[in-house]
PDB file of all heavy atoms in Angstrom:
ATOM      1  N   ASP U 132       2.619 -17.809  -3.992  1.00  0.00           N
ATOM      2  CA  ASP U 132       3.091 -18.877  -4.875  1.00  0.00           C
ATOM      3  C   ASP U 132       3.707 -20.003  -4.050  1.00  0.00           C
ATOM      4  O   ASP U 132       3.687 -21.161  -4.464  1.00  0.00           O
ATOM      5  CB  ASP U 132       4.144 -18.329  -5.850  1.00  0.00           C
ATOM      6  CG  ASP U 132       3.588 -17.171  -6.662  1.00  0.00           C
ATOM      7  OD1 ASP U 132       2.524 -17.351  -7.268  1.00  0.00           O
ATOM      8  OD2 ASP U 132       4.202 -16.082  -6.655  1.00  0.00           O
ATOM      9  N   LEU U 133       4.288 -19.638  -2.923  1.00  0.00           N
ATOM     10  CA  LEU U 133       4.971 -20.629  -2.079  1.00  0.00           C
ATOM     11  C   LEU U 133       4.652 -20.339  -0.619  1.00  0.00           C
ATOM     12  O   LEU U 133       4.728 -19.181  -0.185  1.00  0.00           O
ATOM     13  CB  LEU U 133       6.494 -20.546  -2.298  1.00  0.00           C
ATOM     14  CG  LEU U 133       7.340 -21.481  -1.447  1.00  0.00           C
ATOM     15  CD1 LEU U 133       7.169 -22.931  -1.895  1.00  0.00           C
ATOM     16  CD2 LEU U 133       8.826 -21.101  -1.514  1.00  0.00           C
ATOM     17  N   ILE U 134       4.292 -21.383   0.112  1.00  0.00           N
ATOM     18  CA  ILE U 134       4.115 -21.258   1.561  1.00  0.00           C
ATOM     19  C   ILE U 134       5.101 -22.225   2.211  1.00  0.00           C
ATOM     20  O   ILE U 134       5.116 -23.418   1.890  1.00  0.00           O
ATOM     21  CB  ILE U 134       2.669 -21.583   1.989  1.00  0.00           C
ATOM     22  CG1 ILE U 134       1.699 -20.571   1.340  1.00  0.00           C
ATOM     23  CG2 ILE U 134       2.543 -21.560   3.510  1.00  0.00           C
ATOM     24  CD1 ILE U 134       0.223 -20.863   1.588  1.00  0.00           C
ATOM     25  N   VAL U 135       5.959 -21.685   3.076  1.00  0.00           N
ATOM     26  CA  VAL U 135       6.960 -22.515   3.749  1.00  0.00           C
ATOM     27  C   VAL U 135       6.532 -22.668   5.205  1.00  0.00           C
ATOM     28  O   VAL U 135       6.249 -21.674   5.878  1.00  0.00           O
ATOM     29  CB  VAL U 135       8.356 -21.856   3.670  1.00  0.00           C
ATOM     30  CG1 VAL U 135       9.389 -22.720   4.394  1.00  0.00           C
ATOM     31  CG2 VAL U 135       8.762 -21.639   2.219  1.00  0.00           C
ATOM     32  N   LEU U 136       6.450 -23.924   5.668  1.00  0.00           N
ATOM     33  CA  LEU U 136       6.097 -24.179   7.060  1.00  0.00           C
ATOM     34  C   LEU U 136       7.378 -24.509   7.821  1.00  0.00           C
ATOM     35  O   LEU U 136       8.090 -25.446   7.460  1.00  0.00           O
ATOM     36  CB  LEU U 136       5.125 -25.363   7.159  1.00  0.00           C
ATOM     37  CG  LEU U 136       3.893 -25.335   6.245  1.00  0.00           C
ATOM     38  CD1 LEU U 136       3.046 -26.600   6.470  1.00  0.00           C
ATOM     39  CD2 LEU U 136       3.057 -24.090   6.512  1.00  0.00           C
ATOM     40  N   ASP U 137       7.664 -23.708   8.836  1.00  0.00           N
ATOM     41  CA  ASP U 137       8.807 -24.012   9.701  1.00  0.00           C
ATOM     42  C   ASP U 137       8.244 -24.756  10.908  1.00  0.00           C
ATOM     43  O   ASP U 137       7.562 -24.175  11.745  1.00  0.00           O
ATOM     44  CB  ASP U 137       9.500 -22.706  10.115  1.00  0.00           C
ATOM     45  CG  ASP U 137      10.740 -22.986  10.953  1.00  0.00           C
ATOM     46  OD1 ASP U 137      11.234 -24.135  10.929  1.00  0.00           O
ATOM     47  OD2 ASP U 137      11.206 -22.051  11.637  1.00  0.00           O
ATOM     48  N   CYS U 138       8.518 -26.065  10.956  1.00  0.00           N
ATOM     49  CA  CYS U 138       7.775 -26.931  11.877  1.00  0.00           C
ATOM     50  C   CYS U 138       8.540 -27.174  13.170  1.00  0.00           C
ATOM     51  O   CYS U 138       9.771 -27.191  13.179  1.00  0.00           O
ATOM     52  CB  CYS U 138       7.513 -28.278  11.211  1.00  0.00           C
ATOM     53  SG  CYS U 138       6.648 -28.074   9.667  1.00  0.00           S
ATOM     54  N   PRO U 139       7.806 -27.427  14.263  1.00  0.00           N
ATOM     55  CA  PRO U 139       8.477 -27.760  15.520  1.00  0.00           C
ATOM     56  C   PRO U 139       9.022 -29.182  15.462  1.00  0.00           C
ATOM     57  O   PRO U 139       8.493 -30.019  14.726  1.00  0.00           O
ATOM     58  CB  PRO U 139       7.348 -27.649  16.552  1.00  0.00           C
ATOM     59  CG  PRO U 139       6.104 -27.907  15.775  1.00  0.00           C
ATOM     60  CD  PRO U 139       6.351 -27.410  14.389  1.00  0.00           C
ATOM     61  N   PRO U 140      10.070 -29.468  16.212  1.00  0.00           N
ATOM     62  CA  PRO U 140      10.626 -30.827  16.200  1.00  0.00           C
ATOM     63  C   PRO U 140       9.764 -31.757  17.032  1.00  0.00           C
ATOM     64  O   PRO U 140       9.676 -31.601  18.237  1.00  0.00           O
ATOM     65  CB  PRO U 140      12.003 -30.637  16.848  1.00  0.00           C
ATOM     66  CG  PRO U 140      11.857 -29.424  17.715  1.00  0.00           C
ATOM     67  CD  PRO U 140      10.792 -28.568  17.122  1.00  0.00           C
ATOM     68  N   SER U 141       9.075 -32.678  16.390  1.00  0.00           N
ATOM     69  CA  SER U 141       8.281 -33.663  17.136  1.00  0.00           C
ATOM     70  C   SER U 141       7.724 -34.685  16.157  1.00  0.00           C
ATOM     71  O   SER U 141       7.755 -34.480  14.945  1.00  0.00           O
ATOM     72  CB  SER U 141       7.118 -32.988  17.865  1.00  0.00           C
ATOM     73  OG  SER U 141       6.201 -32.478  16.924  1.00  0.00           O
ATOM     74  N   ALA U 142       7.211 -35.776  16.697  1.00  0.00           N
ATOM     75  CA  ALA U 142       6.422 -36.722  15.895  1.00  0.00           C
ATOM     76  C   ALA U 142       5.092 -36.802  16.616  1.00  0.00           C
ATOM     77  O   ALA U 142       4.987 -37.465  17.644  1.00  0.00           O
ATOM     78  CB  ALA U 142       7.103 -38.068  15.830  1.00  0.00           C
ATOM     79  N   SER U 143       4.113 -36.076  16.135  1.00  0.00           N
ATOM     80  CA  SER U 143       2.883 -35.891  16.897  1.00  0.00           C
ATOM     81  C   SER U 143       1.737 -35.601  15.936  1.00  0.00           C
ATOM     82  O   SER U 143       1.880 -35.707  14.716  1.00  0.00           O
ATOM     83  CB  SER U 143       3.063 -34.695  17.826  1.00  0.00           C
ATOM     84  OG  SER U 143       3.347 -33.554  17.025  1.00  0.00           O
TER      85      SER U 143
END
Side-chain angles (χ1 to χ4, degrees):
Chain U
D132 303 307
L133 178 71
I134 298 175
V135 179
L136 310 179
D137 183 17
C138 304
S141 67
S143 59

